[in-house]
Amino acid sequence: MKRTLVVALALVMTAPVSAHAHPDHPVAPVAPAPAAVYGGGWQQLAPIAGGPRQEHSVAAIGRHVYVVGGIRPDGNGGVVTVPDVEVYDTRANTWRRAAPLPVAMNHPNVVAVGGRLHVLGGLSGGASWQAMRDSFVYHPATDRWTALPPMPAGTERGSAAMGVFGTRVYLAGGMRTLTPGPGGLQDTVADVHSYDVLTRRWTTLPSLPEARDHVGGAIVGRTFYVLGGRDRGQVNVRDTVYSLDLPGGRWTERAPMPTPRGGIASAVVGTKIYTFGGEGRVVNGVNTVFDETEAYDTRRDTWERLAPMPVPRHGTAAVGIGDTIYVPGGGNRGGGAPMDVNDAYRPR
């Protein structure tokens, strides 16, 4: 017997879930923004109306950017996992709220397919963030979420690389556990799966050569790319780039990133994949963030360095609409330091 759950904005009573920051790092209730200098294709936009957000995901439907889930300051020196969904209108430079997720999630796996948002698992919890199998689809016309069959047992994770090819959603890597605190467990996986939004069936694909989480992901043409990321810890950053020909095939190693980074954001314009920010830069023993903007040319298998982020961040997300990439939220210090910054980058 199939059961369908439809959740309207007025009916959702999901409570946020409190937790401390990432391992070994204090939380800033509201991270201060440094004096930012915009230029080189960067533009400052209206900040996130609902306030600072980090470890969220984004997807675009038409001209609208959806910011889904994540963490925000809880006002007591910690962070709280939220179900909030906010929508940025790229033409009007304005924000509005949408129906929240039926459950609070950080590091959710989110894509847009066929004019709808699909959320396929993520992380949530208090003292330890654990992977969730919960999956949902959002209908913009009715502002409602509908429950999907949960991810198969053993495949659940958050912070996976994501891509869409036809009616299939691809997930590579991710993590099943993130335990805030010194020495906390970070369970990185190499698993790769696809989900067909029409048949609602899952398929297991060849695993990544190495486990990755907080990684960049993109599909260009018929190829799924997984860029950078980390393996079991913020400072265990990697520069690897792997590609998988679709719908099946093997993983191939490509030209490495100029700057190894985890917690990055990535988006596609044309045949290039743009990567932004990240964390894992250790300065005087302290984990700090990157301001790097680097682009991978999928045709030439080469990288180029571009104008840095005016406000360096990690734990953010990016999405391309036309010739512009939107990068809302993220943290400006290693660990949890959510911000309401919202920027756009237009490649030159």
Side-chain angles (χ1 to χ4, degrees):
M1 179 175 66
K2 294 183 178 179
R3 299 180 63 191
T4 300
L5 171 66
V6 178
V7 183
L9 176 60
L11 299 180
V12 174
M13 299 297 292
T14 305
V17 182
S18 294
H20 290 293
H22 288 254
D24 305 319
H25 297 291
V27 177
V30 177
V37 178
Y38 286 82
W42 285 97
Q43 179 184 1
Q44 186 176 25
L45 304 174
I48 301 174
R53 194 89 69 91
Q54 185 182 332
E55 311 303 351
H56 53 284
S57 291
V58 302
I61 298 178
R63 70 174 192 261
H64 297 104
V65 176
Y66 288 75
V67 178
V68 181
I71 61 174
R72 69 181 182 213
D74 66 3
N76 297 310
V79 292
V80 59
T81 298
V82 297
D84 300 356
V85 178
E86 294 185 69
V87 188
Y88 176 71
D89 186 321
T90 60
R91 292 183 187 171
N93 192 30
T94 57
W95 289 89
R96 64 177 172 83
R97 287 191 175 273
L101 282 166
V103 296
M105 288 187 187
N106 59 63
H107 300 82
N109 304 312
V110 181
V111 293
V113 189
R116 298 177 179 179
L117 297 182
H118 287 74
V119 177
L120 305 174
L123 302 180
S124 195
S128 181
W129 294 339
Q130 301 292 329
M132 307 171 68
R133 297 171 59 199
D134 305 62
S135 300
F136 306 96
V137 59
Y138 173 77
H139 311 264
T142 59
D143 191 33
R144 292 173 180 258
W145 290 94
T146 303
L148 296 172
M151 300 177 73
T155 68
E156 63 271 21
R157 72 269 207 184
S159 190
M162 303 284 290
V164 177
F165 181 69
T167 62
R168 288 186 176 271
V169 179
Y170 289 81
L171 298 86
M175 61 194 317
R176 296 200 177 107
T177 301
L178 197 165
T179 304
L185 175 63
Q186 298 194 39
D187 181 15
T188 308
V189 301
D191 301 347
V192 181
H193 298 89
S194 68
Y195 172 77
D196 192 306
V197 300
L198 296 183
T199 65
R200 298 188 176 183
R201 292 180 179 176
W202 287 87
T203 302
T204 300
L205 299 171
S207 297
L208 288 166
E210 295 180 348
R212 293 288 184 270
D213 66 73
H214 287 76
V215 65
I219 289 179
V220 179
R222 300 176 60 91
T223 305
F224 183 22
Y225 296 89
V226 175
L227 309 96
R230 65 197 204 200
D231 185 2
R232 298 175 179 87
Q234 285 99 316
V235 299
N236 299 328
V237 296
R238 302 291 185 262
D239 64 358
T240 51
V241 177
Y242 300 119
S243 68
L244 177 70
D245 290 333
L246 302 176
R250 317 188 155 171
W251 288 99
T252 301
E253 192 160 353
R254 301 293 186 111
M257 299 178 68
T259 309
R261 301 176 269 148
I264 64 174
S266 62
V268 175
V269 173
T271 58
K272 292 184 178 181
I273 305 171
Y274 295 81
T275 61
F276 305 95
E279 69 172 329
R281 185 199 302 272
V282 179
V283 179
N284 297 324
V286 177
N287 173 27
T288 66
V289 300
F290 291 90
D291 65 359
E292 271 75 5
T293 301
E294 297 170 344
Y296 176 67
D297 188 322
T298 60
R299 291 180 175 175
R300 299 182 179 181
D301 190 31
T302 57
W303 284 87
E304 61 180 320
R305 298 178 186 268
L306 301 168
M309 302 179 76
V311 182
R313 281 166 283 155
H314 75 102
T316 183
V319 65
I321 298 178
D323 62 356
T324 303
I325 298 170
Y326 298 88
V327 190
N332 70 340
R333 291 201 292 275
M339 305 186 73
D340 64 1
V341 172
N342 180 30
D343 291 338
Y345 177 74
R346 180 174 294 175
R348 295 183 168 185

